């Protein structure tokens, strides 16, 4: 994309095409001989990582759309069926859901890199603004994608975000109705979000082409911020940049795979495993992590319209960055003051993100206001001021000089600063969190689960006993509607044979019909049938249970969680702790106490439970010692029952967990070898350039 | 800059490049598998394709019923004596897709013809009791099948296939 190419293929057929459509010349000049500054560091590989992630998201998204049903009554179930029944459906869904987060991780690194090295400055203003447009499109796409599973967070996130537009004076309400296609978020909303969620990525791809085009016209910026002058300053894109980007992608894949195979729900919200319910709002609405800083800004401004304006201007202000900061020196490497403020700004963004996830009360509100001020002050006060008062350090004459000067001192100040800042931010955050922990919530005790950790497997005995407990106790009130009898014989499950599963199924009476005469009839269950629900509909369930419908248990261990708090959620990332749900379920089953403690009053028809939020649970104590007879000699105690049935319910929520972890191990072994090979290849390729 | 000839250890370097390229190819190919495999029928579809039982009592002689198995229409015809005799009288060797009527029905239950009602030409559904052979007629391009479901005339290349089935009792069959 940098001027006409003199590329001439040798093959006559290719020559024939090239004369009519010089596409190979375009590729050759853009991605092969294109001169790349030779001092680029690894922060520059995030451009390639982003292209890669866009490709992955489009590919997995198109495939998920083959199996997904965009209908308010069916969407939630269709996502579950993708995960349970489609070949590798769990993998594709995890890739897409985690991929969205990874895409944002990469885009934030990419943007902060641009900020640090002044990549938005003349002559790259249009390049930068195109990037901001891509970012905005990504946010819209991510938001609409999050609505599609039609869980509680999907539904209420859609409600809250669309209601932002109601802040617009005079026309706000009409705009919101227009967005919804109804009087509230409903099926029309879901349908149009699906359509747009499919469309926007292709718009993103289009703007990415413009972004790359602009990049290839202006040339890449580099860590020293001096333009390449001679041949010595650059290396050809292929193989140098290609292999380096490839290595960057391979390393990024390791992080990506960590989430896909071991922590698929770490970045999601447990509430989204509860089907959308327009009548109940989750107590604590949180958007996906990548919107949190802006959500914090929205909430910290105590006026509806001003809050919305504040939130949107926090993004729009990025477009004006090239003119707000008109310092001549590009790279913060040579700007001692700008460098420090940059890191403070990074910390401000991270802390805003942390606040966005906290309830809007007390100290969080005040902290949010201070940080919101800091956020805008960075752009409106600090950067304009710095460009006037700061004396930058001398910039090297050329890139070649900078590279020569660097050999010898291999220190990477950027990384160490990042670590120091992360620690500082963490400390600050932990002080906030400990202030909150004193409220005295009973956290469910941890358990030793056989399925925990990177090689965890279900305990077959526990699964079979848990099935018995479910069948004899829980099934009286709770459905298990995503589990078919055939699942009992599937690999990674309770380990029954096909014949055993069929026999188990035939014990059940399944309603079927209508028959030839138009009547419904009952017949014995077949392997393909699903566990029948104890109540014909939600109203009946409600009426029979004192007003609270017993939830379906298929997903309960993923739909329940509790706040781990700081620093545990960071520790959990490394230890792969994923068992909040099972720990909570097991704790609730054992948390009943006959008498509420002093000072706690439990309303009529409710029971005291130590671990249930609010302590008043409508379910009477379900399990007592000796209630279920075990054939294998396991103790017939409440503790054992709870553990077994929780294990069983973990399996019903994650029937392919064993396959996931097994494939994960293989993928990791491959990726580590591959990244190693890429690294050494990269070293060889770059040997002459350094 | 770097050209392949400037290395002092060309073989070691080549080995590294080949190994990296091979790893990328193998990894890429393996990663393709889930994307292809997902197109196959999913577990619920496979489970729904389990065998079905059909009660034959209500089907009178000369009548036929259509049931669905795995999304395909299955014709079950209770043939008359005349239809059976016609099907058996024809010279098998002269047929486009030679097959005897005996091979297409279960012995002892000759009156029952069970065929998948999908034209072997391009997949339309033939109409029962139509055409010149007392069998099936496909309206799409005019293929004609006889009372044994064998192709007799028209563009279809093969007989209507017989699905796997067996008699569980004299009046009940299991398809699949
Ligand atoms: S499809 Fe039946 S004749 Fe062509």
């Amino acid at each position: 994309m940098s001027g006409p190419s003199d590329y001439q293929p040798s093959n006559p057929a290719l020559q024939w095409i090239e004369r009519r459509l010089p596409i190979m010349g375009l590729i050759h000049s853009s991605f092969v001989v294109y001169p790349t500054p030779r001092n680029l560091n690894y922060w520059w590989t995030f451009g390639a990582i982003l292209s890669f992630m866009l490709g992955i998201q489009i590919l997995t998204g198109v495939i998920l759309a083959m199996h997904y049903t965009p209908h308010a009554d069916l969407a939630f179930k269709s996502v579950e069926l993708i995960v349970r029944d489609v070949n590798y459906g769990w993998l594709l869904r995890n890739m897409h859901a985690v991929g969205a987060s990874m895409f944002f991780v990469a885009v934030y690194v990419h943007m902060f890199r641009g900020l640090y090295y002044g990549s938005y400055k003349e002559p790259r203003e249009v390049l930068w603004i195109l990037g901001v447009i891509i970012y905005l499109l990504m946010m819209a796409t991510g938001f609409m994608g999050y609505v599609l599973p039609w869980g509680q967070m999907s539904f209420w996130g859609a409600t809250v975000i669309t209601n932002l537009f109601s802040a617009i004076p005079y026309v706000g309400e009409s705009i919101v109705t227009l967005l919804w296609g109804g009087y509230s978020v409903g099926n029309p909303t879901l349908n149009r979000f699906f359509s747009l969620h499919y469309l926007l990525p292709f718009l993103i791809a289009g703007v990415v082409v413009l972004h790359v085009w602009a990049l290839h016209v202006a040339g890449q910026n580099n860590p020293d911020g001096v333009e390449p002058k001679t041949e010595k300053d650059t290396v050809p894109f292929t193989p140098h940049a290609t292999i380096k980007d490839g290595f960057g992608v391979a390393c990024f894949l390791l992080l990506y795979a960590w989430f896909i195979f071991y922590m698929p729900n770490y970045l999601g919200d447990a509430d989204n495993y509860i089907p959308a319910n327009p009548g109940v709002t989750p107590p604590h609405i949180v958007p996906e992590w990548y919107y949190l800083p802006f959500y914090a800004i929205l909430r910290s401004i105590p006026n509806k319209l001003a809050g919305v304006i504040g939130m949107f201007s926090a993004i729009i202000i990025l477009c004006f960055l090239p003119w707000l900061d008109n310092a001549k020196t590009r790279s913060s490497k040579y700007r001692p003051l700008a460098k420090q403020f940059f890191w403070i700004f990074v910390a401000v963004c991270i802390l805003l993100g942390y606040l966005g996830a906290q309830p809007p009360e007390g100290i969080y509100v005040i902290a949010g206001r201070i940080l919101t001020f800091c956020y805008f002050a960075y752009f409106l006060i600090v950067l304009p001021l710095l460009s006037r008062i700061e004396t930058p350090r001398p910039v090297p004459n050329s890139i070649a000089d900078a590279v020569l000067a660097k050999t010898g001192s291999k220190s990477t100040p950027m990384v160490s600063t990042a670590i120091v800042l992360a620690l500082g931010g963490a400390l600050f955050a932990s002080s906030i969190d400990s202030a909150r922990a004193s409220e005295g919530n009973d956290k469910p005790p941890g358990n030793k689960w056989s399925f925990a950790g990177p090689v965890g497997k279900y305990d077959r005995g526990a699964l079979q006993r848990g099935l018995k407990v479910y069948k004899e106790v829980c099934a009286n009130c709770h459905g298990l509607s995503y589990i078919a009898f055939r699942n009992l014989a599937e690999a990674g499950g309770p380990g029954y044979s096909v014949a055993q599963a069929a026999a188990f199924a035939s014990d059940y009476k399944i309603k079927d019909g209508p028959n030839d005469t138009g009547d419904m009839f009952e017949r014995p269950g077949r392997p393909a049938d699903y566990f029948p629900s104890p109540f014909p509909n939600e109203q009946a369930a409600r009426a029979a249970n004192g007003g609270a419908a017993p939830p379906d248990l298929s997903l309960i261990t993923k739909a329940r969680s509790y706040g781990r708090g700081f620093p545990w959620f960071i520790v959990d990332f490394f230890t792969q702790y994923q068992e909040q749900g099972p720990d909570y379920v097991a704790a609730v089953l054992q948390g009943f106490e006959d008498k509420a403690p002093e000072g706690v009053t439990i309303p009529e028809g409710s029971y005291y439970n130590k671990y249930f939020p609010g302590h008043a649970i409508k379910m009477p104590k379900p399990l007592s010692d000796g209630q279920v007879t075990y054939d294998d000699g396991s103790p017939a105690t409440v503790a054992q029952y709870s553990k077994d049935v929780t294990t069983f319910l973990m399996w019903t929520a994650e029937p392919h967990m064993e396959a996931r972890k097994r494939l994960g191990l293989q993928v990791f072994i491959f990726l580590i070898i591959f990244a190693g090979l890429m690294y050494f290849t990269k070293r060889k390729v770059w040997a002459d350039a350094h | 800059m770097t050209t392949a000839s400037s290395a002092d250890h060309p073989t070691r370097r080549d080995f590294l490049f080949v190994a990296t390229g091979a790893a990328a190819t193998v990894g890429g190919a393996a990663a393709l598998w889930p994307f292809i495999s997902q197109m196959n029928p999913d577990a619920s579809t496979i489970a729904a394709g389990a065998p079905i039982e059909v009660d034959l009592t209500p089907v009178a002689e000369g009548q036929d019923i259509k049931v669905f198995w795995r999304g395909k229409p299955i014709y079950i015809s209770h043939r008359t004596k005349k239809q059976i005799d016609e099907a058996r009288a024809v010279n098998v060797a002269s047929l486009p897709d030679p097959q005897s009527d005996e091979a297409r029905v279960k012995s002892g239950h000759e009156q029952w013809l069970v065929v998948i009602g999908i034209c072997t030409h391009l997949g339309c559904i033939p109409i029962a009791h139509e055409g010149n052979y007392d069998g099936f007629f496909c309206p799409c391009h005019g293929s004609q099948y006889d009372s044994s479901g064998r192709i007799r005339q028209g563009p279809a290349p093969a007989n209507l296939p017989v699905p796997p089935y067996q008699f569980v009792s004299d009046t009940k069959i299991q398809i699949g």
Side-chain angles (χ1 to χ4, degrees), chain A residues 14-29:
Chain A
L14 294 182
Q15 270 172 14
W16 187 90
I17 297 175
E18 192 67 9
R19 266 188 56 209
R20 285 150 183 88
L21 180 74
I23 184 158
M24 279 160 297
L26 182 72
I27 293 171
H28 185 79
S29 64

Side-chain angles (χ1 to χ4, degrees), chain B residues 2-80:
Chain B
T2 46
T3 47
S5 60
S6 66
D8 38 354
H9 296 296
T11 47
R12 221 206 274 165
R13 162 185 283 218
D14 288 350
F15 174 75
L16 182 62
F17 287 0
V18 169
T20 310
T25 317
V26 169
L32 268 184
W33 177 242
F35 294 89
I36 296 164
S37 169
Q38 55 85 22
M39 303 271 275
N40 269 318
D42 69 25
S44 66
T45 309
I46 292 170
I52 55 167
E53 286 194 348
V54 184
D55 181 17
L56 303 177
T57 347
V59 192
E61 192 172 299
Q63 280 192 336
D64 53 310
I65 56 168
K66 204 194 299 181
V67 296
F68 277 86
W69 177 65
R70 297 195 169 171
K72 293 177 176 140
I74 311 274
Y75 277 113
I76 304 172
S77 305
H78 192 164
R79 302 190 291 180
T80 58

Side-chain angles (χ1 to χ4, degrees), chain B residues 119 121-124 138 140-143 155:
Chain B
C119 181
H121 181 222
L122 292 172
C124 293
C138 181
C140 283
H141 317 94
S143 288

Side-chain angles (χ1 to χ4, degrees), chain A residues 271-536:
Chain A
D271 277 319
N272 226 25
Y273 281 110
I274 304 171
N277 180 351
V280 183
T281 306
H284 188 191
I285 298 241
V286 201
E288 289 284 80
W289 68 268
Y290 33 87
Y291 304 121
L292 286 174
F294 304 103
Y295 194 60
I297 291 176
L298 169 80
R299 291 195 312 191
S300 60
I301 302 176
N303 171 293
K304 184 171 174 181
L305 181 58
V308 174
I309 292 176
M311 185 179 82
F312 281 108
S313 27
I315 303 168
I316 301 302
I317 201 166
L318 293 172
C319 290
F320 299 95
L321 188 57
W323 296 277
L324 289 169
D325 170 18
N326 47 26
K328 285 281 160 291
T329 310
R330 282 208 192 98
S331 169
S332 295
K333 223 169 137 180
Y334 303 102
R335 300 179 61 190
L337 282 175
K339 187 193 280 180
Q340 284 170 30
F341 279 106
F342 169 83
W343 287 112
I344 292 171
F345 176 69
V346 173
V348 164
C349 292
I350 292 172
L351 288 174
L352 273 173
Y354 177 78
L355 289 181
Q358 303 310 314
E361 56 200 25
I363 179 162
Y364 296 127
V365 179
I366 300 160
R369 289 192 187 145
I370 296 169
L371 290 170
T372 301
F373 173 79
C374 295
Y375 181 93
F376 286 102
Y378 178 70
F379 292 104
L380 297 174
I381 303 171
V382 175
L383 285 180
L385 208 63
L386 278 186
S387 50
R388 251 149 246 158
I389 60 168
E390 186 182 32
T391 3
R393 295 201 286 117
V395 174
N397 262 330
S398 71
I399 292 177
D401 286 357
V403 172
L404 281 180
K406 198 180 141 207
T407 25
S409 77
K410 274 268 176 202
S411 74
T412 40
M414 198 159 164
V415 175
S416 51
T417 331
I419 292 167
V420 169
L421 260 157
L423 282 178
L427 280 176
F428 178 63
S430 76
S431 64
I432 299 175
D433 199 75
S434 54
R436 214 173 131 233
S438 61
E439 286 165 29
N441 247 345
D442 273 318
K443 296 238 159 152
N447 294 275
K448 265 193 107 56
W449 298 110
S450 62
F451 49 81
V455 289
K457 280 191 163 55
Y458 292 120
D459 171 350
R460 307 275 163 242
L463 286 182
Q464 299 191 353
R465 292 191 299 271
L467 171 62
K468 193 156 196 243
V469 175
Y470 168 76
K471 190 182 172 189
E472 290 180 18
V473 183
C474 319
N476 292 320
C477 303
H478 295 275
L480 198 64
S481 47
Y482 294 122
I483 299 298
F485 298 117
R486 64 183 158 86
N487 296 136
L488 299 174
E490 277 166 13
Y496 288 114
S497 68
V498 174
Q500 281 172 315
F504 188 90
S506 62
D507 284 350
Y508 284 81
K509 288 263 162 292
I510 303 291
K511 221 181 169 88
D512 201 352
N515 61 14
D516 293 342
T517 48
D519 300 318
M520 302 304 282
F521 59 94
E522 279 196 341
R523 57 162 175 79
R526 302 183 191 131
D529 290 319
Y530 288 81
F531 273 85
S533 292
F535 300 103

Side-chain angles (χ1 to χ4, degrees), chain A residues 15 35 76 87 91 140 181 316 350 401 514 534 671-672:
Chain A
Q15 270 172 14
F76 186 88
N87 296 345
L91 173 63
I316 301 302
I350 292 172
D401 286 357
L671 280 179
I672 289 169

